Amino acid sequence: MADRLSALLDRFALSARVFHSGRLCGTARFDDDADGVGHLHVLRGGAIDLVDRHGVSQRLDAPTLLFFPRPLPHRLVAPESAPAELVCASIAFGAGGGDPLSAALPNHVVLPLADAPALASVLDLLFDEAFAEICGRAVALDRLAELLILHLLRHLLSAGEVRSGLLAGLADPRLSKVLIALHAAPAEPWTLERMAQVAGMSRARFAVHFPAVLGQTPMEYVTQWRLGLAMAQLRRGRAVKQVAHAVGYATASALARVFAARLGCSPLAWLARQTG
């Protein structure tokens, strides 16, 4: 099977920073994050209440992975009589927004570890590092948290637990061929006809099937993918003209028109807002 994730993670690099490992007693609050990061919480033992932004509470009393791919207010509440053992990390896909992967995931994932045996080996390593005092622990924890997220994405793909959006498209045998090719070569002259051909479908059938699974038309997805790549490259300091050619636009003006239509400003004005 072709690699469905590497091109995404290569262009929008996954990064993690573990900021807590140990017991939680009382309440930990996670509000909107100005840096746009998500959160990973892994409950090793004990019990916690997950309280969402609306005040709805869910008791978790077995080892569980919680993943918030985007900033979303929530609270973790551990009973004082039985402190929970947790590993918590901030998670980001690229920088400055625009990545399609975090946008394609549910608002949050609650996964009992017993339901995901493929994660066991990474979790064992994570817990060994988290609850010991050894050299290089912080660096190891960050890398293991990143590896855990990668294994989680694999699990979501193979289990078919995401019914719509990008992950659902990557799980579709025909649409995945198109998405992999588009992600690897965004500057190619993609048309509806060419994408249908890559998928091995008729133009009419492809034009119906793609939005039914991903929730947007094929050409809308092409534009969104290119725009996200352009945003990431602009933040890395590349010139607008270079960025335009790299993501499939003949001129800087053509890219500027996309920015104006989607974001209401020019590429440089957008960049100034991000770095100002």
Side-chain angles (χ1 to χ4, degrees), residues 174-186:
R174 294 169 295 181
L175 297 184
S176 64
K177 296 176 183 178
V178 179
L179 292 169
I180 291 168
L182 171 61
H183 293 161

Side-chain angles (χ1 to χ4, degrees), residues 13-275:
L14 167 63
S15 63
R17 184 183 66 83
V18 174
F19 58 84
H20 173 82
S21 59
R23 290 189 168 190
L24 173 67
C25 185
T27 300
R29 296 179 179 273
F30 301 88
D31 297 320
D32 286 321
D33 195 308
D35 294 329
V37 300
H39 290 98
L40 169 71
H41 310 293
V42 187
L43 174 66
R44 183 195 194 193
I48 56 171
D49 291 320
L50 169 63
V51 185
D52 69 16
R53 56 184 169 176
H54 304 296
V56 177
S57 178
Q58 178 182 359
R59 170 59 60 92
L60 304 173
D61 54 10
T64 302
L65 181 152
L66 304 174
F67 180 43
F68 293 79
R70 299 173 297 280
L72 193 69
H74 61 284
R75 287 179 286 145
L76 302 180
V77 184
E80 295 185 6
S81 58
E85 286 188 322
L86 282 166
V87 177
C88 300
S90 57
I91 303 293
F93 295 92
D99 79 277
L101 191 51
S102 63
L105 292 165
N107 283 337
H108 70 279
V109 174
V110 178
L111 178 64
L113 300 187
D115 293 347
L119 276 59
S121 59
V122 181
L123 287 165
D124 287 343
L125 290 171
L126 181 73
F127 291 145
D128 285 347
E129 293 285 340
F131 298 97
E133 294 295 333
I134 49 181
C135 293
R137 174 177 173 272
V139 175
L141 280 174
D142 290 349
R143 300 294 83 78
L144 286 168
E146 292 167 6
L147 184 58
L148 180 58
I149 293 297
L150 175 57
H151 278 259
L152 173 62
L153 294 174
R154 289 175 178 172
H155 169 80
L156 294 174
L157 277 173
S158 62
E161 295 186 9
V162 180
R163 305 288 182 177
S164 62
L166 177 57
L167 283 188
L170 290 170
D172 185 289
R174 294 169 295 181
L175 297 184
S176 64
K177 296 176 183 178
V178 179
L179 292 169
I180 291 168
L182 171 61
H183 293 161
E188 291 293 309
W190 292 104
T191 63
L192 187 62
E193 290 78 7
R194 183 177 180 186
M195 287 188 280
Q197 184 179 30
V198 172
M201 303 172 68
S202 71
R203 182 183 183 278
R205 186 171 179 81
F206 177 75
V208 172
H209 186 55
F210 191 100
V213 176
L214 275 86
Q216 59 188 147
T217 69
M219 296 314 298
E220 285 173 343
Y221 185 83
V222 171
T223 300
Q224 175 185 297
W225 174 245
R226 288 173 169 169
L227 183 62
L229 292 177
M231 293 162 69
Q233 293 190 28
L234 287 168
R235 286 185 65 93
R236 290 197 289 268
R238 295 194 70 186
V240 176
K241 183 176 180 179
Q242 292 177 322
V243 171
H245 292 162
V247 302
Y249 295 102
T251 65
S253 295
L255 177 60
R257 286 194 291 272
V258 175
F259 265 77
R262 295 297 182 101
L263 304 174
C265 63
S266 71
L268 292 180
W270 173 85
L271 182 61
R273 290 208 299 258
Q274 304 304 305
T275 57

